[in-house]
């Protein structure tokens, strides 16, 4: 994250640790001169980022709830749930770091409550946010590999890409991220007056050269970005080729194939968005760690784009995931909302659910069908059963009209057709 270099450069360029040591007495003095206000950093850190972090945190919570439901169990959704957890942590701790940072800068690093809060919390909030960023990077790599296997090896992917295995990979990514970023907990410390300063570990030449520079280049930039770019090129080509072949041979779309294609497109869009939004922060880190050059206002812009990327994933999920949209509307508005009718009827052909309820064993079986297929299936079932049992069907219909006892329900089988179109509910009763 670019914030790490921002804080370190801030500590090296400002006099935060002016201290007068007298015999037997130690007093703390604070700067009295205020630096020139950077309006770009002020607007970004005090207005834009808190607003984005609040909205993004709410969206991340919604994504976690949706992707962890039983109806959404798949390897891809497990990865997306883990990515939402990392996004939530990143947004929360970034808001706790960015805003106090700029507030302390505006107050001249003086003896104020905002500065003391920033000095005390940053040694913990900064490493945790970097751990979340590392986890999100490698989770995007896992999503790319999952879609690569699903597109190029569709039969084997059913065995390889399981929800249980995806959860194990997420756990491994978490352990790696914590282990890799653990030294950051010892980079910043507080002096006797409570002010923030870099530790001896951070000032070590070999630590900065090998861990900060090459560790970031290899573990967070070169390897994950190369894997994501190369595999996404193969995935895009495979999806485009398969789509052209299916259109030329069938002239239509298979529901399962269309669902897999939309999931793949969603993953591609998510990874490409990640690469675009993180390129500015990557350039800032390279310039400051490798070439010791500060890019000025590009540093807060890079931090803003990182937060915006974590907060905007829900938009991609909503655009490409029909089931995700339905689950969100169902949780927010309820099952009888007009939005549910719009999602089912307005954008897609009317879908029906054939429910066969058997009064003898009390079981219910539901199958999703097109409206025309469901009606035709029910009509054929009614005609065949009426030909087989004509008298019992007439006898049951007379009993039902005259208010016969409920024992008749144990000897019949009801086929109920529910359709998403309005005013289309058909109840056809046939003897078993």
């Amino acid at each position: 994250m670019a914030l790490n270099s921002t804080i370190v450069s801030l500590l090296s360029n400002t006099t935060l640790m002016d201290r007068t040591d007298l015999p037997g007495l130690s007093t703390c003095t604070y700067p009295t001169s205020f630096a020139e206000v950077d309006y770009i950093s002020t607007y970004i850190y005090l207005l834009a980022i808190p607003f984005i972090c609040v909205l993004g945190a709410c969206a991340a919570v919604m994504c976690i709830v949706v992707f962890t439901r039983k109806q959404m169990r798949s390897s891809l959704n497990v990865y997306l749930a883990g990515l939402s957890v990392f996004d939530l942590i990143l947004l929360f701790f970034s808001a706790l770091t960015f805003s106090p940072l700029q507030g302390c800068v505006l107050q001249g690093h003086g003896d104020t409550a905002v500065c003391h809060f920033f000095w005390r919390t940053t040694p913990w909030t900064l490493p945790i946010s970097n751990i979340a960023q590392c986890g999100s990077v490698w989770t995007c790599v896992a999503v790319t590999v999952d879609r690569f296997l699903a597109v190029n090896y569709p039969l084997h992917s059913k065995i390889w890409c399981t929800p249980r295995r995806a959860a194990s990979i997420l756990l491994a990514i978490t352990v790696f991220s914590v282990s890799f970023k653990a030294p950051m907990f010892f980079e910043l410390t507080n002096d006797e007056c409570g002010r923030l300063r870099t530790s001896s570990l951070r000032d070590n030449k070999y630590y900065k050269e090998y861990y900060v520079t090459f560790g970031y280049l290899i573990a967070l930039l070169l390897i994950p970005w190369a894997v994501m770019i190369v595999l996404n090129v193969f995935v895009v080509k495979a999806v485009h080729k398969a789509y052209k072949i299916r259109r030329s041979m069938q002239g239509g779309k298979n529901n399962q194939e269309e669902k897999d294609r939309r999931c793949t497109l969603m993953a591609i869009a998510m990874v490409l968005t990640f690469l675009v939004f993180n390129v500015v922060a990557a350039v800032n880190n390279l310039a400051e760690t490798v070439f010791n050059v500060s890019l000025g206002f590009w540093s807060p812009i890079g931090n803003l784009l990182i937060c915006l990327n974590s907060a905007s994933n829900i938009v991609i999920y909503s655009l490409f995931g029909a089931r995700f949209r339905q689950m969100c509307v169902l949780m927010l508005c309820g099952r009888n909302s007009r939005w549910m009718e719009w999602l089912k009827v307005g954008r897609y052909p009317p879908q029906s659910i054939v429910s066969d309820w058997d009064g003898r064993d009390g079981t219910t079986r539901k199958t999703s069908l097109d409206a025309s297929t469901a009606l035709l299936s029910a009509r054929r079932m009614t005609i065949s059963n009426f030909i087989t049992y004509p008298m019992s069907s007439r006898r049951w219909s007379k009993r039902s009209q005259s208010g016969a006892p409920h024992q008749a329900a144990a000897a019949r089988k009801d086929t109920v057709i529910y359709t998403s179109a309005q005013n289309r509910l058909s109840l056809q009763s046939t003897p078993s």
Side-chain angles (χ1 to χ4, degrees):
M1 178 179 282
L3 179 60
N4 189 23
S5 302
T6 302
I7 292 180
V8 173
S9 62
L10 178 68
L11 295 178
S12 61
N13 295 331
T14 55
T15 18
L16 300 182
M17 288 151 296
D18 297 331
R19 190 181 61 189
T20 304
D21 292 330
L22 300 177
L25 180 64
S26 176
T27 59
C28 301
T29 60
Y30 298 90
T32 56
S33 59
F34 291 82
E36 185 179 354
V37 177
D38 184 2
Y39 291 101
I40 296 179
S41 299
T42 301
Y43 290 142
I44 290 178
Y45 288 150
L46 294 183
L47 295 178
I49 285 183
F51 178 75
I52 291 174
C53 287
V54 170
L55 293 183
C58 297
V61 172
M62 175 65 68
C63 294
I64 294 171
V65 173
V66 172
F67 287 130
T68 52
R69 296 178 71 89
K70 292 183 179 180
Q71 300 92 322
M72 304 290 287
R73 281 185 61 85
S74 67
S75 60
L76 177 61
N77 291 338
V78 171
Y79 290 131
L80 296 182
L83 181 62
S84 300
V85 173
F86 288 128
D87 289 339
L88 177 62
I89 297 174
L90 176 64
L91 292 170
F92 179 76
F93 285 97
S94 296
L96 288 180
T97 308
F98 285 120
S99 299
L101 164 66
Q102 190 62 25
C104 186
V105 170
L106 294 178
Q107 294 178 358
H109 307 284
D111 188 14
T112 61
V114 174
C115 289
H116 281 284
F117 177 81
F118 170 69
W119 295 335
R120 294 294 183 182
T121 58
T122 301
W124 300 96
T125 58
L126 182 62
I128 294 176
S129 60
N130 277 266
I131 290 173
Q133 187 191 18
C134 180
S136 64
V137 170
W138 284 101
T139 304
C140 288
V141 175
V143 170
T144 304
V145 174
D146 180 89
R147 288 297 91 192
F148 175 79
L149 295 176
V151 170
N152 292 275
Y153 306 97
L155 298 180
H156 295 81
S157 65
K158 302 299 183 182
I159 303 175
W160 297 340
C161 304
T162 61
R164 184 182 297 272
R165 186 164 297 176
S168 301
I169 294 175
L170 268 180
L171 180 60
I173 290 174
T174 304
V175 173
F176 168 76
S177 302
V178 173
S179 303
F180 180 71
K181 289 296 183 179
M184 289 193 63
F185 286 97
F186 306 98
E187 288 187 2
L188 299 176
T189 185
N190 300 104
D191 62 2
E192 294 83 354
C193 299
R195 290 168 295 198
L196 192 66
R197 66 178 180 86
T198 56
S199 64
S200 58
L201 176 65
R202 175 70 193 196
D203 296 333
N204 186 276
K205 180 181 68 174
Y206 299 102
Y207 176 81
K208 290 191 293 184
E209 181 178 354
Y210 292 103
Y211 176 77
V212 177
T213 303
F214 293 106
Y216 173 80
L217 285 176
I218 296 174
L220 292 180
L221 193 61
L222 293 181
I223 296 178
W225 285 46
V227 171
M228 285 187 286
I229 292 173
V230 172
L231 292 186
N232 270 288
V233 170
F234 286 104
V235 169
V236 170
K237 289 184 177 180
V239 170
H240 182 67
K241 181 179 179 180
Y243 184 73
K244 290 177 62 178
I245 293 176
R246 185 173 68 248
R247 294 289 293 180
S248 61
M249 294 179 61
Q250 297 181 1
K253 298 181 181 180
N254 180 271
N255 290 334
Q256 184 61 35
E257 292 180 355
E258 180 64 16
K259 177 184 175 182
D260 294 339
R261 188 181 73 90
R262 293 182 69 87
C263 290
T264 304
L265 292 178
M266 179 182 68
I268 294 173
M270 184 196 68
V271 173
L272 292 180
T273 304
F274 171 83
L275 295 176
V276 171
F277 280 3
N278 282 266
V279 67
V280 177
V283 173
N284 288 336
N285 275 309
L286 289 177
E288 294 177 356
T289 57
V290 178
F291 303 104
N292 293 324
V293 176
S294 178
L295 299 182
F297 64 88
W298 286 105
S299 182
I301 292 178
N303 293 325
L304 174 65
L305 292 177
I306 289 177
C307 295
L308 187 61
N309 173 53
S310 299
S312 62
N313 284 331
I314 190 173
V315 179
I316 300 175
Y317 304 153
S318 301
L319 289 177
F320 291 93
R323 183 179 295 181
F324 179 82
R325 290 194 301 268
Q326 293 179 359
M327 295 293 293
C328 289
V329 173
L330 180 64
M331 294 175 57
L332 294 176
C333 305
R335 189 178 300 273
N336 297 324
S337 173
R338 289 184 297 176
W339 290 100
M340 289 295 294
E341 291 296 328
W342 180 80
L343 288 175
K344 295 178 181 178
V345 184
R347 295 180 60 86
Y348 302 101
Q351 297 289 322
S352 299
I353 298 179
V354 176
S355 175
D356 295 333
W357 176 76
D358 196 335
R360 292 170 295 184
D361 55 6
T363 58
T364 303
R365 299 176 296 278
K366 292 185 178 181
T367 305
S368 298
L369 300 171
D370 293 333
S372 58
T373 308
L375 291 174
L376 181 60
S377 176
R379 188 178 298 113
R380 289 176 177 175
M381 184 186 304
T382 305
I383 294 175
S384 61
N385 289 338
F386 181 79
I387 294 175
T388 307
Y389 304 101
M391 296 303 296
S392 60
S393 177
R394 294 173 184 175
R395 189 180 302 113
W396 178 83
S397 61
K398 291 182 180 180
R399 289 182 180 178
S400 61
Q401 293 177 1
S402 60
H406 294 288
Q407 286 81 3
R412 74 175 188 272
K413 185 176 181 181
D414 291 347
T415 300
V416 185
I417 301 177
Y418 304 91
T419 178
S420 57
Q422 296 180 353
N423 299 327
R424 290 193 180 184
L425 177 62
S426 175
L427 173 62
Q428 299 177 353
S429 303
T430 62
S432 57

